[in-house]
Amino acid sequence: MNRSMKLASLLATVSFGVLTASQAMGAESLQDVMKRRGLNEKDVLAAAKTYTPTGKRDEFLVFSSGGQSGQVIVYGIPSMRILKYIGVFTPEPWQGYGYDDESKKILDEGSNIDGRQVKFGDTHHPALSETNGDYDGQYLFINDKNFPRLAVIDLKDFETKQIVKNPIMMSEHGGAFVSPNTDYIIEASQYAAPLGGGFVPLEQFNEKYRGAVTYWKFNREKGRIEPENSFSLELPPYSQDLSDFGKGPSDGWSFTNSFCSERYVGGIESGRPPFEAGCSAKDTDFLHVVNWKKGEELFKAGKTKQINGHAVIEMATAIKEGMLFLIPEPKSPHGVDVTPDGKLLTVSGKLDSHVTVYSFEKIQAAIKAGKFSGKDEYGVPIIDMKDVIHKQVELGLGPLHTQYDAKPCVAYTSLYVDSMLAKWDFCEGKVIDKISIHYNIGHLMAMEGDTAHPAGKYVVALNKLAIDRFNPVGPLHPQNHQLIDASNDKMQLLYDMPLPLGEPHYAVAIAADKLKPHVRYPHGTDSRTEEKHPASVRAGKERIERTPGKVEVFGSVIRSHITPEIMEVTEGDEVTVHLTNLERAEDETHGFAISKHNVNLSLEPGKTASASFKANKAGVYPYYCTEFCSALHLEMQGYLIVQPAGYKATDVKAKEGVTYGKADYDARVKTNVETQKVIDSVVGYITSVNYKDFAPVVALVEDATDQLNFAAGAKAKSEDYAAKGDFHNAFLWAEQWFQYQVKTADIGLRAKTFLEQGGAKKVK
Ligand code: CUK
Ligand code: CUA
């Protein structure tokens, strides 16, 4: 813009009265903005702590449960910017999850519950894989409370790779939690039921209903759970709740708390008090203390009972072998969290104002001495609470969950009823600070706060209700994640983030530099098996194979066309379309959707995905790329032609809208030759500097070289046609030659900018 144009546009704005005089001058001061938006100094400080300028990245990544959406939400800290929704127990159309054949296999099988395709998941607790008790950035696990399932997400590409269904539970809650080296992932039942399913009358609750914990064996090399190497432990019909694995000195043990050890069976409809009264009557419930290493031995020795083909250690065996103990815990407990050093466990009672800190050493001493206060009705030894308490600390009303700080002895506990978050010292047993959060905090999340080496700095309050925090969007409100600066003893509230996807129970935060996800897949990858896709193709090898009643398309996508562009099938054919994205450029994803066929693929660079469908209705169905991938994205199109049975093709040639001649061809070639000069100058610059020291540029150069080779191919075809005097086709191929040049130039310029901004040095 020159000065007079600038002036004119300014005048135009001012005359509409939108801006004040000082803004029209173009420079609002910080004071002006504070005044205009009603911000005080504290607000501005909070903003400065979270605001993340363009191009800057977050220090931590959060994986939050997506609650009833059945998905996982990924966001950054401190910016609180949402980066991804990972489809887990429900379809996620953008990623093609639940639409392409490869992911359908995982989701459909994992959602087939007793012959019914279930369409939601109640995701609760995400868990990151650990090595020696610390996050390693490799895998994420998440459980589903409603259908007893557990999913494995690979953090190489943030995709769901496996869903395992719990073979014996009817509901669960206390998962997913991983052992310090991710050998096992725990899943604990919630509401007691007959193990393995089936009908048993409620009158037999005490005798026949049971709880359980499942120890899912994880094979890290394969990145998959091995159901055949997993086992469960039968537990009394108390409502088991959350769990945690021991670490360090407590490695080999796991802990699961419970509520409703009253074993109340309800019956409000027949005039009895409701569950809420019957399940909270006693002053204490039971913390289950399990020697899972012993359990593993028993499982390997075959001392188990098979239920639905799954090995279960019976309670009687566990008691006899000394692998199961109970400790009373006050009152309606929720959450058991092992300290980073593995020496202590914190348990909170929802109806108690204390947190109780148990000493693992004292627990072991009591077990060794055989010092028990008695047995429960099922014969499980009960350890006396006062023998094993390290400290009881009064924190406030409704304590729920605890996470740990980088500073030794410092913990954070959510106070649901008080709507506060407490920072406290569990060694000394004293409160350091309390901060009001907006409302009804459930879980909380400190950075790597459940590992052996928490990172401190921030805490997020996962509030159950948002109430009046955000602009109203109807009776159903979003949930509210509140970011708190916890780097000092005194905590400071920084930011409210609405999460509108379901009730996010729990979240885990990992240092961003521990994650090393792929930028692209190796050519032709089936992302769900992580192997070479048998139907992947290289450029130029695209084909259509036909057998009676079946059509299989082996196609490709690349800026800006789909090969093939015409797919002719016959009504009634079973059709499978496999598409490989031939791109290597970062973020060059193409989509693929066919009109009216519920086909939607996401094809990230290198990926091969497939869509199978029956061509059940004769007609003409446009297909197209669903990602705005390039200037000619809208032209990335084709037709699925479904011919009626018995249709005979005519030999009349299709008449196109425009015919081109020699003058068109010559003009096109002239432009192409000039374009090539621009490309050459960009290439000249790139090769004159140390571009090989910049990995992303090397990838871009590979990509540009590809496109340039395609350009050379198109140029050759165009010259062939011109030699034959067919200037119509010669022009069209020259046009395609130009399209490839444009893509080359686009990539080349991206590389050049990267080099210039990255401080590349001359080498020749
Ligand atoms: S839970 Cu404790 S607040 Cu982990 Cu299901 Cu929701
Ligand atoms: Cu590919 Cu749009």
Side-chain angles (χ1 to χ4, degrees):
M1 251 195 257
N2 62 34
R3 281 179 74 182
S4 65
M5 276 167 73
K6 257 190 202 157
L7 198 65
S9 79
L10 262 184
L11 284 174
T13 337
V14 172
S15 71
F16 281 113
V18 178
L19 301 177
T20 65
S22 76
Q23 285 167 312
M25 297 313 286
E28 220 184 348
S29 74
L30 181 58
Q31 307 306 328
D32 292 340
V33 177
M34 287 170 70
K35 201 167 155 213
R36 175 165 60 81
R37 299 200 64 216
L39 304 176
N40 62 30
E41 224 167 87
K42 238 176 100 199
D43 297 330
V44 174
L45 183 63
K49 287 182 181 186
T50 59
Y51 176 67
T52 306
T54 181
K56 290 265 170 18
R57 297 189 181 178
D58 280 305
E59 188 179 354
F60 296 96
L61 281 202
V62 175
F63 295 88
S64 171
S65 140
Q68 298 89 332
S69 74
Q71 301 183 3
V72 165
I73 306 156
V74 185
Y75 65 83
I77 283 184
S79 77
M80 305 301 271
R81 297 180 300 193
I82 294 177
L83 301 171
K84 194 162 216 172
Y85 296 129
I86 306 174
V88 184
F89 297 115
T90 51
E92 205 297 311
W94 181 44
Q95 295 155 27
Y97 182 66
Y99 297 87
D100 61 61
D101 295 355
E102 294 74 14
S103 63
K104 256 188 184 161
K105 211 178 279 171
I106 295 166
L107 183 61
D108 288 1
E109 259 171 51
S111 311
N112 188 315
I113 312 283
D114 298 338
R116 179 182 289 124
Q117 272 318 117
V118 300
K119 288 188 181 162
F120 88 102
D122 189 11
T123 52
H124 267 248
H125 306 109
L128 285 158
S129 59
E130 295 179 9
T131 301
N132 298 324
D134 286 317
Y135 294 160
D136 52 38
Q138 293 184 356
Y139 295 95
L140 180 78
F141 310 95
I142 191 157
N143 67 323
D144 173 359
K145 169 166 171 159
N146 187 46
F147 303 104
R149 294 182 283 182
L150 194 73
V152 180
I153 296 150
D154 193 331
L155 296 178
K156 279 203 297 290
D157 58 1
F158 289 50
E159 282 197 347
T160 301
K161 306 293 179 183
Q162 186 184 24
I163 296 173
V164 290
K165 294 179 269 191
N166 195 291
I168 60 168
M169 295 175 188
M170 301 307 287
S171 78
E172 57 104 299
H173 188 241
F177 298 92
V178 303
S179 61
N181 279 304
T182 324
D183 306 300
Y184 288 95
I185 305 141
I186 217 171
E187 190 184 18
S189 62
Q190 178 109 87
Y191 306 116
L195 290 189
F199 169 75
V200 175
L202 262 178
E203 298 81 66
Q204 297 177 30
F205 188 91
N206 277 328
E207 303 79 49
K208 298 275 179 66
Y209 285 45
R210 288 293 177 264
V213 265
T214 299
Y215 296 84
W216 290 107
K217 177 77 184 144
F218 186 63
N219 181 327
R220 190 189 285 262
E221 238 148 73
K222 292 196 184 125
R224 300 290 183 273
I225 286 168
E226 299 179 332
E228 67 284 6
N229 292 324
S230 306
F231 63 93
S232 294
L233 168 64
E234 177 193 20
L235 293 177
Y238 312 142
S239 296
Q240 279 76 26
D241 201 30
L242 285 156
S243 306
D244 203 0
F245 271 100
K247 49 173 147 308
S250 54
D251 188 17
W253 293 74
S254 68
F255 312 93
T256 299
N257 60 4
S258 66
F259 59 92
C260 204
S261 59
E262 294 87 351
R263 290 164 290 156
Y264 188 66
V265 293
I268 198 169
E269 63 298 322
S270 44
R272 304 193 68 218
F275 271 111
E276 59 173 310
C279 279
S280 61
K282 283 201 320 173
D283 279 339
T284 55
D285 291 282
F286 287 120
L287 175 67
H288 303 67
V289 177
V290 179
N291 183 342
W292 66 263
K293 279 258 162 78
K294 183 105 205 164
E296 188 184 39
E297 282 167 30
L298 296 174
F299 164 63
K300 286 184 176 160
K303 295 188 177 168
T304 52
K305 175 182 166 182
Q306 291 288 314
I307 302 178
N308 290 340
H310 173 76
V312 180
I313 301 170
E314 290 176 283
M315 249 187 316
T317 313
I319 295 165
K320 199 175 101 214
E321 301 279 348
M323 72 166 278
L324 175 63
F325 307 91
L326 299 172
I327 311 175
E329 45 174 14
K331 170 164 189 173
S332 290
H334 188 55
V336 48
D337 299 283
V338 176
T339 54
D341 60 9
K343 289 181 181 165
L344 304 169
L345 338 162
T346 1
V347 173
S348 307
K350 288 177 296 218
L351 304 181
D352 191 18
S353 57
H354 296 86
V355 277
T356 306
V357 186
Y358 295 86
S359 153
F360 181 73
E361 202 181 313
K362 289 181 180 173
I363 294 172
Q364 288 305 300
I367 292 172
K368 281 223 179 74
K371 191 164 181 266
F372 303 113
S373 63
K375 287 177 178 176
D376 78 343
E377 200 182 307
Y378 304 90
V380 186
I382 300 171
I383 300 169
D384 198 326
M385 185 159 82
K386 54 183 195 310
D387 288 345
V388 293
I389 284 185
H390 162 73
K391 285 249 147 57
Q392 271 193 316
V393 189
E394 171 125 26
L395 287 187
L397 296 182
L400 293 186
H401 298 287
T402 296
Q403 292 254 294
Y404 300 98
D405 190 58
K407 253 204 207 141
C409 297
V410 175
Y412 303 92
T413 296
S414 49
L415 303 169
Y416 177 82
V417 178
D418 273 347
S419 290
M420 292 184 97
L421 194 152
K423 183 172 191 167
W424 57 290
D425 182 318
F426 56 84
C427 299
E428 300 289 316
K430 61 167 203 268
V431 176
I432 299 168
D433 188 29
K434 282 168 65 167
I435 187 172
S436 288
I437 52 83
H438 177 244
Y439 205 70
N440 281 11
I441 176 173
H443 275 273
L444 76 173
M445 165 189 60
M447 305 302 98
E448 308 201 343
D450 57 7
T451 68
H453 297 94
K457 296 192 180 181
Y458 303 99
V459 180
V460 175
L462 280 65
N463 302 331
K464 294 301 183 191
L465 303 169
I467 311 186
D468 58 3
R469 284 301 91 166
F470 306 110
N471 297 53
V473 287
L476 181 64
H477 297 222
Q479 305 269 324
N480 185 4
H481 282 206
Q482 290 189 295
L483 178 68
I484 292 158
D485 177 355
S487 48
N488 302 302
D489 280 355
K490 190 107 200 88
M491 296 181 280
Q492 185 199 355
L493 181 64
L494 298 181
Y495 193 76
D496 283 13
M497 177 177 66
L499 266 192
L501 206 66
E503 190 201 322
H505 285 265
Y506 184 41
V508 283
I510 181 173
D513 58 14
K514 286 188 181 173
L515 297 165
K516 304 262 182 302
H518 288 332
V519 171
R520 65 186 70 80
Y521 292 104
H523 168 266
T525 301
D526 174 342
S527 68
R528 304 292 163 173
T529 62
E530 296 165 271
E531 282 164 12
K532 182 97 181 165
H533 198 297
S536 63
V537 293
R538 293 257 167 212
K541 304 284 180 208
E542 297 88 353
R543 64 193 189 279
I544 299 179
E545 290 180 3
R546 295 166 199 278
T547 48
K550 270 190 90 163
V551 178
E552 201 168 357
V553 178
F554 301 82
S556 72
V557 289
I558 192 163
R559 275 161 292 172
S560 306
H561 52 265
I562 302 164
T563 309
E565 295 193 329
I566 314 289
M567 301 178 191
E568 285 175 332
V569 306
T570 305
E571 194 174 10
D573 278 349
E574 294 290 346
V575 182
T576 299
V577 180
H578 310 281
L579 290 175
T580 300
N581 183 344
L582 300 174
E583 309 273 0
R584 276 189 302 219
E586 181 167 1
D587 204 18
E588 204 41 70
T589 295
H590 299 284
F592 177 75
I594 306 178
S595 152
K596 297 193 175 180
H597 281 73
N598 198 32
V599 166
N600 181 47
L601 304 179
S602 172
L603 299 154
E604 298 95 61
K607 192 188 218 180
T608 300
S610 315
S612 293
F613 57 92
K614 193 184 176 88
N616 60 331
K617 192 163 184 259
V620 174
Y621 302 96
Y623 54 80
Y624 64 100
C625 169
T626 55
E627 291 279 343
F628 208 111
C629 53
S630 54
L632 293 174
H633 149 77
L634 292 174
E635 289 76 358
M636 204 165 164
Q637 58 170 344
Y639 284 106
L640 169 73
I641 310 280
V642 182
Q643 298 164 345
Y647 171 75
K648 284 266 174 297
T650 59
D651 55 5
V652 177
K653 265 228 168 141
K655 191 170 174 297
E656 279 161 5
V658 185
T659 319
Y660 306 98
K662 181 159 188 314
D664 300 308
Y665 172 72
D666 290 342
R668 185 26 92 206
V669 170
K670 190 161 172 264
T671 318
N672 291 6
V673 169
E674 271 150 26
T675 307
Q676 192 57 43
K677 282 185 202 149
V678 178
I679 294 173
D680 291 345
S681 85
V682 175
V683 171
Y685 166 78
I686 293 172
T687 52
S688 75
V689 298
N690 58 334
Y691 80 94
K692 286 185 181 153
D693 297 340
F694 298 81
V697 174
V698 173
L700 287 170
V701 168
E702 277 179 12
D703 250 33
T705 311
D706 272 1
Q707 294 290 339
L708 212 50
N709 286 337
F710 294 140
K715 179 170 180 270
K717 282 184 186 146
S718 135
E719 284 163 356
D720 277 358
Y721 278 109
K724 284 186 270 177
D726 179 350
F727 287 103
H728 180 67
N729 279 308
F731 169 80
L732 286 169
W733 277 111
E735 181 66 27
Q736 183 58 34
W737 161 20
F738 177 68
Q739 292 308 333
Y740 285 127
Q741 286 182 314
V742 169
K743 286 158 209 159
T744 312
D746 174 48
I747 304 166
L749 288 170
R750 257 160 80 183
K752 187 168 177 242
T753 311
F754 193 102
L755 289 168
E756 284 166 351
Q757 289 175 354
K761 289 190 205 65
K762 284 268 174 225
V763 291
K764 60 179 186 194

